Amino acid sequence: MSGKIKTGPLWSKSKSDLMSQLEDLKTELGQLRVQKIAGGAASKLTKIHDLRKSIAKVLTIINANQRSQLRLFYQKKKYLPLDLRPKQTRAIRRRLGKKDAARKTDKQRKKETHFPQRKYAVKAEV
């Protein structure tokens, strides 16, 4: 198995292919670690680094595919899981929604109808 893996071709693979590739990478990593302890060459260290990064790439693609499937599943549902909701900031998440923020009390509505904003016919000087 080669050291570095490009992410481009991984996107088109199925989950079972990705899982089998992940297992291969992990077994190879285990073998390299044993060789390193046994007193292998220094080139093993860079290969270990490349393998760890390749494992991370495969896992990232598996997780991204899983999240996209979950997004499709929850698209028409009333509630989204917390990790699929937009992060934003804590203050924005707790803010009133647009509908609630636009609501007015009866008193406020009456006040606006009975005492509208006055319109003046004074021209401003430039």
Side-chain angles (χ1 to χ4, degrees), residues 8-38:
L10 291 179
W11 288 105
S12 57
K13 287 189 176 183
S14 67
K15 186 176 180 182
S16 57
D17 291 342
L18 288 170
M19 293 303 276
S20 65
Q21 187 168 10
L22 183 65
E23 288 303 315
D24 295 342
L25 289 168
K26 283 184 176 182
T27 54
E28 190 177 353
L29 180 63
Q31 291 167 357
L32 281 174
R33 283 190 172 146
V34 169
Q35 289 173 6
K36 185 182 94 170
I37 291 168

Side-chain angles (χ1 to χ4, degrees), residues 48-89:
I48 287 174
H49 175 267
D50 291 344
L51 272 173
R52 288 180 62 235
K53 299 305 168 189
S54 297
I55 289 171
K57 286 175 186 176
V58 172
L59 282 172
T60 301
I61 288 172
I62 290 171
N63 289 334
N65 288 339
Q66 191 173 8
R67 283 177 68 84
S68 66
Q69 291 299 316
L70 281 171
R71 280 192 194 282
L72 289 173
F73 177 74
Y74 283 105
Q75 204 168 26
K76 303 289 182 199
K77 303 277 191 280
K78 185 175 181 184
Y79 296 112
L80 262 180
L82 292 177
D83 59 335
L84 294 181
R85 293 179 194 171
K87 176 78 168 134
Q88 298 171 330
T89 62

Side-chain angles (χ1 to χ4, degrees), residues 60-124:
T60 301
I61 288 172
I62 290 171
N63 289 334
N65 288 339
Q66 191 173 8
R67 283 177 68 84
S68 66
Q69 291 299 316
L70 281 171
R71 280 192 194 282
L72 289 173
F73 177 74
Y74 283 105
Q75 204 168 26
K76 303 289 182 199
K77 303 277 191 280
K78 185 175 181 184
Y79 296 112
L80 262 180
L82 292 177
D83 59 335
L84 294 181
R85 293 179 194 171
K87 176 78 168 134
Q88 298 171 330
T89 62
R90 192 166 187 262
I92 290 172
R93 289 195 307 267
R94 277 151 183 69
R95 199 164 53 186
L96 284 175
K98 287 181 182 175
K99 187 176 179 182
D100 291 328
R103 291 177 79 184
K104 292 179 181 168
T105 60
D106 289 337
K107 186 174 183 178
Q108 182 70 26
R109 219 175 286 118
K110 285 177 186 170
K111 191 175 170 185
E112 286 176 1
T113 55
H114 291 103
F115 304 101
Q117 182 76 45
R118 291 185 176 173
K119 297 177 182 77
Y120 296 99
V122 179
K123 187 177 179 188

